[in-house]
Amino acid sequence: MNAHEFQYKERQMPEAILVAPASRRYTPAIQDLAGAAYGVSPELAADWFDPEQFRRRIEVFPEGQWIALEAMSERVVGFTSGMRIDFDPAVPLLDNWDTTTGYG
């Protein structure tokens, strides 16, 4: 018996997912998704994940910011966020995250 013949027969395929560079247009949706990913209330998400921080990351390092969108709805279903920081492996990193990243 081949299991693949029987698994997921009734399962519908999700919409196509597009991966694209992040843009300022999607920063509120990125904020909402970040809050959902960390399981925090919308109020706490608004405090933790300021859309202006994401906008600034897109300005400073656009090639490090990507989003995943449902193709038909353009709903943000994923994101990555990279930051460039000065780092010298010979020097211990002693600052906290906020200081190291310039507060996001």
Side-chain angles (χ1 to χ4, degrees), residues 26-80:
Y26 294 105
T27 54
I30 292 169
Q31 178 188 30
D32 292 343
L33 184 60
Y38 286 97
V40 299
S41 69
E43 296 79 22
L44 191 54
D47 186 44
W48 282 8
F49 310 107
D50 182 359
E52 189 55 39
Q53 291 176 331
F54 292 116
R55 286 186 198 102
R56 185 72 180 135
R57 289 179 191 175
I58 292 166
E59 271 179 32
V60 172
F61 186 43
E63 59 272 20
Q65 320 306 318
W66 294 88
I67 56 174
L69 299 168
E70 284 182 342
M72 296 298 287
S73 67
E74 289 194 36
R75 182 172 69 102
V76 176
V77 295
F79 74 95
T80 66

